[in-house]
Amino acid sequence: MIEALQFDFMRNALLAGLLVSIACGIIGTFVVLNRIVFISGGIAHAAYGGVGLGYFFGFSPILGAVGFSLLAALGMGLVQRHTRQRADTLIGVLWALGMATGIILIDLTPGYKADLLSYLFGSILAVPTGDLWLMLGLDLVIVALVALLYKELLALSFDETYATVANVPVGALSLLLIGLIALTVVMLMRVVGLILLIALLTIPAAIAGQFVRDMRAMMLLAGGLGMLFTTLGLWLSYTLNLTSGATIILVSAVAFLLSLGLRAFTSRSVRATGEFGA
Amino acid sequence: MQKHSAGMPVVEVRGLWAGYEREPVLEDVNLTVVPGDFIGLIGPNGGGKSTLIKVLLGLLPPLRGEVRLFGQPPAHGRRMVGYVPQAFAFDRAFPIRVHEVVRMGRLSRRGLGRRFTAADDAAVRTALDQVDAWRLRDQPFGTLSGGQRQRVLIARALAVEPQLLILDEPTASVDPQGRADLYEILRVLNAHLSILLVTHDMLAISSYVKTVGCINRRLVYHGTRELTPAMLDLGYPCPVELIAHGAPHRVLAAHPSGEQREERP
């Protein structure tokens, strides 16, 4: 790994992994605690419509993805808040609609489509330095907003009804949160691709959630785990010559299964020694 | 404690119709709560108990009629209300400590982007002391027993420094001893704030509240301690034996319910 770092693309890849892990740790915590994994997956896939739009009209596919994911996030957020039944069905339809639109638009675009697969499966080895600055900027926005609105976001996630009674603007904050999810999703698309990014968004937070006692600690631990998984995955993919996005996800998923086993083991041994509930 | 004139009702509900999708769950409900009240509302599931609470808290707009909290619309008046939801509805895996839960009671006093202050921490301490749960302050909320969680939720409502407590089935997940303790806490609190409680729990109705109402689409409430024939007409099954025996609390105590309570004088 050390000798690999003499290459610019490896340094950028490593930095990209570290930068997205910060966003993943914070936003992934909200995704897991608010149980909106499905919506987040929907946003990721709907964003492909924006990629197609970019190809078709000849502007940056990433810009299209940003626009489309924000639009999808807004739509899905409103559906979830204002539809009484079957919100998940509607979200599933929006999910597929975005993706299908992208595929058709790319079909209609003449010529060779370079790096089309990179949006589906990620291209962490091809992250330009300019994108790193964008990632850093988004991290700073996320950290600043969450620090500023921490007490409201905690109340919203823990007990939305009570937050409403306390006159917290839960509607606006939910849409802000889902907008931040959309931006994080586009950032993750560069690293692991839209098909797999839901795993990197949720697995570090899901692991952290089993071992912490407050939300701040969950964000920090999830961020750290994300850095560990992306770095380890990158090193393995370099050493074994495997697709980096998929390797990162595989490392994360194995860690998740191990954490489940570890938790089952420790809670059993705690119960056996009779300390539980004392 | 009372900042309002003695004549100002805490809650004023006039001709309220409410429900979902144009199908009324509540019809023509009238209710006045005055300072010092401790009202228990009973009623069957689906009888509109939680709908009434939602309307009072401004979470559900009425179809018809008028609702006032301290003379104001619910969205404003609720700043002076401590709301205690059912404790079992929470995600036990949510990483949050007891004092963070209680501090949510201070949210309406600290606007967006403001930090909690030392005054908020003091209010949290007072509230936890009032329910005898200060020692639990650093525990994860999800690890508490049903009774402990309910106390913490009451503390959160008290951190508001409210003039009215609204409780939704406060003993649904609490064991019998814990129930008696909770009602004892509420009786002490009632010395300086009004309490409105909806419940299935006949222990509360028979021994702790000052006045009883029955709600099943319509509300029957006369500000009395006893259940009346009009409440029976609403079709709620439990009051039958109370009325038939004429002496509510004695009848309950005689049943082998596992709750060894002394009858109060």
Side-chain angles (χ1 to χ4, degrees), chain A residues 170-189:
Chain A
V170 293
L173 284 180
S174 300
L175 289 182
L176 173 73
L177 191 58
I178 213 162
L180 290 178
I181 293 173
L183 294 175
T184 305
V185 155
V186 176
M187 184 160 132
L188 281 172
M189 201 187 279

Side-chain angles (χ1 to χ4, degrees), chain B residues 141-169:
Chain B
F141 183 71
T143 63
L144 303 183
S145 72
Q148 288 173 328
R149 265 182 293 163
Q150 199 68 64
R151 277 182 204 216
V152 169
L153 293 177
I154 292 174
R156 177 175 70 170
L158 292 173
V160 173
E161 295 175 22
Q163 296 177 37
L164 168 68
L165 274 189
I166 295 180
L167 301 100
D168 188 357
E169 299 278 5

Side-chain angles (χ1 to χ4, degrees), chain B residues 115-139:
Chain B
R115 293 194 169 276
F116 287 119
T117 64
D120 296 324
D121 290 336
V124 167
R125 163 123 213 199
T126 307
L128 277 169
D129 278 338
Q130 279 177 290
V131 299
D132 193 22
W134 173 245
R135 74 202 147 76
L136 299 176
R137 64 192 176 278
D138 283 326
Q139 292 233 16

Side-chain angles (χ1 to χ4, degrees), chain B residues 171 179-187 199 201 203-204 208:
Chain B
T171 54
R179 284 180 199 193
D181 293 347
L182 271 179
Y183 288 127
E184 208 47 58
I185 288 170
L186 291 179
R187 181 154 54 197
T199 185
D201 186 355
L203 172 68
Y208 288 92

Side-chain angles (χ1 to χ4, degrees), chain B residues 64-80:
Chain B
R64 260 196 272 164
E66 202 185 6
V67 179
R68 285 281 179 274
L69 296 176
F70 308 97
Q72 299 172 326
H76 290 280
R78 68 189 178 195
R79 289 170 195 278
M80 285 171 271

Side-chain angles (χ1 to χ4, degrees), chain A residues 29 32-35 84-85 147-169 173 209-210 212-218 278, chain B residues 20-21 57 59-60 75-76 78-79 81-83 85 90-91 93-97 100-101 104-105 107-108 110-116 138-141 153 156-157 160:
Chain A
T29 293
V32 169
L33 291 180
N34 286 285
R35 297 167 188 268
R84 228 167 256 300
Q85 283 124 16
L148 194 67
L149 301 171
Y150 185 84
K151 68 186 197 306
E152 284 83 10
L153 290 171
L154 175 63
L156 171 72
S157 306
F158 177 68
D159 185 353
E160 186 180 327
T161 305
Y162 192 84
T164 310
V165 172
N167 289 322
V168 170
L173 284 180
Q210 303 177 63
V212 298
R213 296 178 155 208
D214 67 54
M215 193 170 80
R216 214 181 301 263
M218 185 168 167
Chain B
Y20 303 98
E21 328 257 293
L57 293 172
L59 298 170
L60 181 73
H76 290 280
R78 68 189 178 195
R79 289 170 195 278
V81 175
Y83 166 54
F90 289 91
D91 175 7
F94 198 105
I96 189 168
R97 291 169 198 275
E100 290 179 295
V101 174
M104 278 177 202
L107 274 172
S108 61
R110 301 285 167 259
L112 282 178
R114 302 273 178 80
R115 293 194 169 276
F116 287 119
D138 283 326
Q139 292 233 16
F141 183 71
L153 293 177
R156 177 175 70 170
V160 173

